Amino acid sequence: MIETAGIWGHAIAAMLFAAIAIWQLADRERRSGKAILGIAFLLTAVWAALAAVYGPGSVMASLGETVRNLGFLTFMFVLLRQGLGEDRRPFVGLIYVALFAVALMQMLANGMLSLLPDSAALQAFASQSTVILDLCFTIGALLLVHALYSAATPETRWGIRLTMIAIAAMWVYDLNLYTFAWLTGRPAIELLALRGALMIGLVPTFLLAARRNTDSKLKLSRKVTFRSLSLIAIAGYFLAMFLATRIIDMVAGNSAVLVQVALVFLFSAGAIVLLPSQRVRGWLRVKVAKHLFEHRYDYRAEWIRFNHTLARPGTGSDPLDARVVQALGEITEAQGGLLLAAQDDNRLRPGARWNWDGLDSAAPTADGALGRWLAASGHIVELDPLRRGDHGDPDEIATLVPRWMIDEPDAWALAPLIHRDRLAGAVLLKRPKVDRTLDWEDLDLLRIAGRQAASYLAEARSQDALAEARRFDEFNRRFAFILHDIKNLVSQLSLVARNAERHADNPEFRADMVATLQDSVGKMNDLLARLAPKDRARSEAPRAVGLRKMAERIAAQKGQAHPVRIVGGPECEAMADPVRLETALIHMVQNAIDASPADTPIWLVVGGDETEAWIAVEDNGAGMDPEFVREKLFEPFHSSKTGGFGIGAFEARSLVAEMGGRIEVDSRKGEGTRFTITLPAAAACETDREIA
């Protein structure tokens, strides 16, 4: 039953594929892809006919199957070579030549089965070898189908999708068939017979595929290519080991085991030594890229890796300068590199390095003439021609390159980093493991990547300069505050000096003077400490501060020079830093004193409610107009007083804001001013806001 089904299935498949072949070959368009596919259909019809006449498992059917496989393999090769340049086609052909060689070995093995004498051992060896060759061919062919489909551009996959699906289905069935035969040690008669039915089922798919355009533009995928070549190489490796061991088993006699062990040891040792070698892998990558691809580089992958290296967050051990060297070095597979940072006079000073510990760390700074020449020309300097005396064009480069670069044998090339026609630096690349000469692709890519890296360096330098300017701005701001505070201390000490002339003999005055001097010295030390970055004198975390007690302390300090009065009920506490709050209040009290007549008192008003506490400074002085309060009062270097610095109100508001508070101003020209500092209350205050 199975045998009859196999014969009729293959016979029907032969007629159907013959009809498709005639229809395909009769197409007037005469495209090469369609013609080769038509021939493959015709060879498939021949194979199916042989299987129907001689039996699916016969030697003639096996020979016909091999010819059929060669037809479809040729179609795939023609399809693939359409997407390659003339100089890449020979190397691509080598991949297919390997499978063609396996197919030829299949034909020889099938021929041996019919010519060998009736020796069970020889017949078993030939049969097993045939199955192994069939497996190797099927695996390699499926890998090439995957590679071919992956290589197609997205817009052209539509044209080959059905063809690739049908071919893959045919060879996947063969893979299962030969795997079963290899594992069981006998032909899979049932699977062989059912192949005719499979081919009949594939006819509609091939028919639809034949109506589509198979002359598609292909673009090789590097990842797929390298993986496919690796798998094919592995399959070839195991095939060679299998055939070698079987041949040894036949001819070596009693020494077969020893020879086989030695052979396996040599194969394994060779794999262990060669495969991990970076030099060998680099040589293979160079050769494959040179002969298989139109361009040396996968520009999309290189650009993604380049920008990822530059843009990743830097650390102390991985600064941007070192990442710039790494990014350029990885493009050309250089083993390391050195960044030469450009100075203001275009001198190139050695800086960060990557994977080049053997380079002299005391390498001298390159002369400014080299930097100016690199900035003007943008030329990438190869050092090997200079060592050979082949200066090329231009000749003056030989006199500009420092001697230490020429004497360093691993120094390979010097790539300038140019940003907006200015030299940001240059990268000296270390020689790669697989030494080669830079070609036009290397030079173009290094030139473009160098400009991109230069923009990163320029941005980083700008950020550093901006941060330095901000530090100076912060220092100047602190110094302005300190200068204003010194003015207040000078006023206080001047008052002490005037009173000392009249009350120097008074013990109480002397004690008060000593206390005042000690307080002034402490405040001066605080002022000096405030010049340090990110520090304020004796600043503390907000805590409960009694506003009335602080008002009394300030009134005692300033009351000697001007009358100061306190208004308010019980103590009211606010959440504040006492040092900052006292500094802000002293600014306001001093401003009120400066704006008031000599005998007119200043009022300190303390109050609050359940959520907020406040302290106000009131005077009956000159006052300010609304426009000045609105636009200039809290701006630095604007003052309504003659000789004023215009810093006190600005600093006071900054200090209060840092504590989470605010300052409110109510002023009328000719009537006076009230400044109110409002802060979060530490506890509910029972006083109201009216002046007593």
Side-chain angles (χ1 to χ4, degrees), residues 26 32-33 100 140 179 252-253 295 327 334 352 379 472 524 545 574 624 668 690:
S32 59
F100 280 120
T179 301
H295 298 290
H379 190 73
F472 270 106
M524 288 182 180
V545 177
M624 298 172 287
R668 291 178 176 83
E690 296 297 328

Side-chain angles (χ1 to χ4, degrees), residues 420-667:
R420 294 183 178 178
D421 298 327
R422 296 191 61 183
L423 187 68
V427 173
L428 181 63
L429 295 174
K430 186 179 180 181
R431 192 180 306 278
K433 287 185 177 296
V434 181
D435 196 8
R436 60 185 177 84
T437 302
L438 293 173
D439 59 18
W440 65 269
E441 277 195 83
D442 298 312
L443 298 178
D444 285 349
L445 187 55
L446 280 176
R447 192 173 293 112
I448 295 173
R451 288 187 176 274
Q452 180 72 3
S455 68
Y456 274 86
L457 286 176
E459 182 181 359
R461 303 291 186 266
S462 299
Q463 291 292 333
D464 291 342
L466 180 60
E468 183 177 355
R470 286 174 176 170
R471 287 193 294 270
F472 270 106
D473 182 67
E474 176 66 16
F475 180 85
N476 294 335
R477 189 174 70 89
R478 287 196 183 103
F479 191 78
F481 290 165
I482 288 170
L483 209 60
H484 185 272
D485 294 343
I486 287 175
K487 186 192 74 169
N488 294 337
L489 287 174
V490 168
S491 299
Q492 185 177 358
L493 293 176
S494 297
L495 178 63
V496 171
R498 288 196 302 270
N499 290 334
E501 296 176 357
R502 293 179 294 172
H503 306 290
D505 297 333
N506 187 337
E508 294 182 359
F509 172 79
R510 288 200 299 271
D512 185 62
M513 180 178 67
V514 170
T516 301
L517 291 174
Q518 290 176 341
D519 182 68
S520 298
V521 169
K523 290 182 178 179
M524 288 182 180
N525 287 329
D526 289 343
L527 295 177
L528 293 176
R530 285 168 61 182
L531 284 175
K534 297 181 181 179
D535 187 20
R536 286 195 181 275
R538 295 186 295 184
S539 61
E540 302 176 11
R543 59 184 177 85
V545 177
L547 298 183
R548 187 175 182 87
K549 290 181 180 179
M550 181 166 290
E552 291 173 351
R553 186 164 60 252
I554 293 175
Q557 293 176 6
K558 296 295 185 179
Q560 299 176 10
H562 195 96
V564 179
R565 304 288 185 265
I566 298 175
V567 177
E571 179 63 276
C572 192
E573 293 185 338
M575 295 299 296
D577 173 4
V579 175
R580 295 180 183 179
L581 180 57
E582 183 177 356
T583 301
L585 280 172
I586 288 176
H587 286 322
M588 293 183 178
V589 171
Q590 186 62 48
N591 286 341
I593 292 174
D594 294 340
S596 301
D599 297 331
T600 303
I602 304 300
W603 300 90
L604 297 180
V605 185
V606 178
D609 54 26
E610 293 182 354
T611 59
E612 294 181 330
W614 54 78
I615 181 169
V617 179
E618 291 188 359
D619 66 70
N620 296 321
M624 298 172 287
D625 59 71
E627 182 181 359
F628 181 86
V629 172
R630 183 176 61 254
E631 297 182 1
K632 296 183 179 180
L633 175 60
F634 292 110
E635 293 294 325
F637 313 116
H638 290 89
S639 176
S640 60
K641 300 179 296 183
T642 302
F645 286 179
I647 293 295
F650 174 72
E651 183 183 12
R653 188 174 68 168
S654 300
L655 293 171
V656 172
E658 289 173 359
M659 295 182 289
R662 65 183 185 275
I663 295 180
E664 298 171 346
V665 183
D666 182 14
S667 182

Side-chain angles (χ1 to χ4, degrees), residues 105-143:
M105 294 172 65
Q106 287 178 295
M107 298 178 69
L108 293 176
N110 287 321
M112 289 174 59
L113 285 174
S114 60
L115 298 177
L116 287 175
D118 295 334
S119 171
L122 291 176
Q123 289 286 342
F125 172 74
S127 178
Q128 194 73 0
S129 299
T130 302
V131 172
I132 293 295
L133 289 171
D134 289 336
L135 272 175
C136 291
F137 180 89
T138 305
I139 293 172
L142 286 172
L143 289 173

Side-chain angles (χ1 to χ4, degrees), residues 232-245:
I232 292 173
I234 292 171
Y237 172 79
F238 283 110
L239 175 62
M241 287 191 64
F242 172 78
L243 293 177
T245 53

Side-chain angles (χ1 to χ4, degrees), residues 58-274:
S58 64
V59 174
M60 294 300 295
S62 298
L63 291 173
E65 178 188 345
T66 302
V67 174
R68 176 205 71 178
N69 291 338
L70 290 175
F72 283 109
L73 195 64
T74 303
F75 164 72
M76 291 167 54
F77 173 67
V78 171
L79 195 62
L80 180 63
R81 71 195 295 267
Q82 291 175 353
L84 301 177
E86 294 290 340
D87 56 337
R88 302 299 190 270
R89 293 176 182 175
F91 189 82
V92 175
L94 293 178
I95 304 173
Y96 286 85
V97 165
L99 279 183
F100 280 120
V102 174
L104 180 61
M105 294 172 65
Q106 287 178 295
M107 298 178 69
L108 293 176
N110 287 321
M112 289 174 59
L113 285 174
S114 60
L115 298 177
L116 287 175
D118 295 334
S119 171
L122 291 176
Q123 289 286 342
F125 172 74
S127 178
Q128 194 73 0
S129 299
T130 302
V131 172
I132 293 295
L133 289 171
D134 289 336
L135 272 175
C136 291
F137 180 89
T138 305
I139 293 172
L142 286 172
L143 289 173
L144 289 179
V145 169
H146 177 263
L148 179 64
Y149 185 75
S150 301
T153 55
E155 62 272 14
T156 58
R157 285 182 181 174
W158 178 87
I160 64 172
R161 180 178 291 118
L162 292 179
T163 307
M164 294 298 104
I165 290 175
I167 294 175
M170 178 182 68
W171 279 332
V172 166
Y173 187 91
D174 290 351
L175 178 64
N176 289 302
L177 187 154
Y178 295 123
T179 301
F180 179 84
W182 182 60
L183 292 175
T184 61
R186 65 178 180 83
I189 303 299
E190 296 81 1
L191 294 178
L192 283 171
L194 292 176
R195 272 205 296 187
L198 169 71
M199 298 306 294
I200 293 174
L202 293 179
V203 167
T205 305
F206 276 121
L207 189 61
L208 292 174
R211 296 176 60 88
R212 295 186 176 183
N213 178 22
T214 57
D215 292 333
S216 305
K217 178 66 175 178
L218 301 178
K219 181 179 180 182
L220 287 177
S221 166
R222 292 173 183 261
K223 286 186 177 181
V224 172
T225 300
F226 283 116
R227 290 173 182 173
S228 300
L229 289 176
S230 300
L231 291 175
I232 292 173
I234 292 171
Y237 172 79
F238 283 110
L239 175 62
M241 287 191 64
F242 172 78
L243 293 177
T245 53
R246 295 305 297 267
I247 292 173
I248 291 171
D249 191 39
M250 293 179 59
V251 302
N254 296 332
S255 303
V257 175
L258 181 61
V259 176
Q260 288 173 348
V261 170
L263 182 65
V264 171
F265 176 79
L266 290 175
F267 272 71
S268 302
I272 292 173
V273 171
L274 296 178

